[in-house]
Amino acid sequence: WRRDRAVGSAGVTDNREVWAHLCVARPWRVERAALEGRPVAELRRTHREIVAAAARAEDAGVDAVGKIMGEHAGVAGVQMRCLAALADRLHCETARKGALDAGVTAAVVNALWRFPRDAELQVAALHCVVFLARPIGGAEGMVYHRGMASQGLDAFLGCRGGIAAVLASMRDHARSPAVQAMGCWSLVNLALNHQQKLELLRRDGLERVLGAMAAHPAALEVQFRALFALINLVIPEAGAPADDAGASHARVIRRVLVAMDRFPESEKLVRCGCLVLHNLSLDDRNIPRLLAAGVSSPLRQAATSHKDADVQRSAVSTLRRLR
């Protein structure tokens, strides 16, 4: 019995297919092409290193987590462990600043591009973008604030940057409410910075948000996050493309009213909807569109039903502009 057990154990230890499968299968999901031609000893070592790296990420600081992501960029399972660790730590502003200084943003963006079909990983990476895009010293969304500086800017800009990656994720996973909600949430903070907002608008970020709302009308989280993103996206920005702005704003108004009508009891959603309509009303060219869409009644209903300060201020001030 002992001899048979030893022979069986040795057979497994020296079986290349066994170790290749352990690397390729969940949770690690190493790209099979990366393992082609490797001898069994190297596959065993690769598996041990992957397991050890994932374990280290759970307790490592954000800079070390970023390094682990770089060392195992092609291993989806390690990326997932690292992204989960980052999301847990980046609530802390000190950790967030450390991550920005250490270039962790680039590692997260790389994960978005490296695994475009993995919806679970996309959601995890987008969650990290939410925190990394939040300006140091800034609160979530900073509803009325304009032009905040943001570190890690280079990693967000360009054709292979974070903004392009977020929008590509939302495009490729249009049917996933989780991706759409997290994508819209990341746009909330990305739109706080002037250069990032211009990039978003040039890459049709506004249309991507409206598309998410149209595709998931019954998903409260998608509607809420999308409206939150629109609060800053609809404010006129110097240097932004002006083509069809009126038509886009008309579609924004329709989607806001649909969401507020669908979820009238959700104070957080109604607050965001009122703020979007308020910001649209700051541009006199939108006044006829707002009036034609009949926004006065929903705004009065919101002001009557919700005592939230932002709802009251935005609804009342917008109604005054519409007189």
Side-chain angles (χ1 to χ4, degrees):
W1 175 84
R2 289 180 179 177
R3 181 177 178 277
D4 290 344
R5 183 181 178 187
V7 170
S9 177
V12 170
T13 301
D14 296 330
N15 190 318
R16 186 183 183 284
E17 284 305 310
V18 168
W19 290 102
H21 176 74
L22 287 172
C23 292
V24 171
R26 284 182 173 273
W28 309 123
R29 293 172 285 163
V30 178
E31 298 164 342
R32 184 170 286 277
L35 303 178
E36 292 297 329
R38 293 192 185 186
V40 65
E42 188 174 340
L43 292 177
R44 287 199 303 267
R45 183 170 62 253
T46 297
H47 183 261
R48 286 197 300 270
E49 290 173 351
I50 288 171
V51 173
R56 289 201 313 275
E58 294 181 2
D59 299 315
V62 290
D63 55 339
V65 173
K67 290 179 181 177
I68 293 170
M69 293 181 74
E71 293 166 356
H72 300 274
V75 185
V78 172
Q79 298 296 304
M80 282 294 297
R81 296 286 180 90
C82 289
L83 292 168
L86 287 175
D88 184 58
R89 292 159 177 69
L90 292 175
H91 289 275
C92 170
E93 185 166 288
T94 301
R96 193 161 75 250
K97 186 178 185 303
L100 293 168
D101 291 342
V104 173
T105 305
V108 172
V109 171
N110 181 65
L112 281 168
W113 286 117
R114 188 73 179 255
F115 303 96
R117 292 188 295 275
D118 190 328
E120 183 184 10
L121 189 146
Q122 293 288 305
V123 171
L126 290 170
H127 195 191
C128 291
V129 172
V130 169
F131 296 117
L132 292 166
R134 184 183 298 170
I136 298 297
E140 180 70 32
M142 296 294 291
V143 172
Y144 286 107
H145 199 96
R146 309 295 305 121
M148 290 197 71
S150 177
Q151 298 182 48
L153 194 62
D154 291 345
F156 288 131
L157 301 177
C159 62
R160 298 289 291 180
I163 290 171
V166 170
L167 297 178
S169 180
M170 294 178 70
R171 179 197 65 216
D172 294 343
H173 298 274
R175 294 184 180 181
S176 168
V179 170
Q180 297 305 305
M182 199 64 76
C184 286
W185 191 7
S186 69
L187 299 184
V188 170
N189 290 330
L190 286 167
L192 291 172
N193 175 275
H194 173 68
Q195 286 180 269
Q196 291 167 186
K197 182 178 173 181
L198 289 181
E199 179 100 352
L200 276 170
L201 294 173
R202 282 195 294 263
R203 295 185 180 277
D204 295 325
L206 184 62
E207 295 301 320
R208 193 65 61 203
V209 173
L210 294 177
M213 298 182 77
H216 303 278
L220 172 60
E221 196 66 14
V222 173
Q223 299 297 313
F224 164 58
R225 296 298 181 189
L227 290 177
F228 205 165
L230 289 172
I231 291 172
N232 277 318
L233 283 175
V234 301
I235 299 176
E237 195 78 18
D243 297 343
D244 297 324
S248 294
H249 286 170
R251 291 196 297 277
V252 169
I253 295 168
R254 287 198 296 273
R255 297 262 45 111
V256 170
L257 295 181
V258 168
M260 291 176 65
D261 181 66
R262 185 74 179 252
F263 301 101
E265 296 181 358
S266 173
E267 187 165 86
K268 66 179 185 179
L269 182 143
V270 171
R271 179 195 305 122
C272 289
C274 288
L275 288 166
V276 174
L277 297 176
H278 169 274
N279 286 350
L280 284 169
S281 74
L282 298 176
D283 184 344
D284 290 340
R285 293 170 295 183
N286 285 322
I287 298 299
R289 300 183 187 104
L290 292 164
L291 289 169
V295 304
S296 297
S297 178
L299 285 171
R300 282 194 292 268
Q301 181 180 346
T304 301
S305 304
H306 299 281
K307 302 307 178 185
D308 176 82
D310 281 334
V311 171
Q312 293 293 315
R313 181 173 62 247
S314 57
V316 171
S317 62
T318 303
L319 286 168
R320 288 173 179 165
R321 288 190 181 85
L322 297 178
R323 290 175 183 171

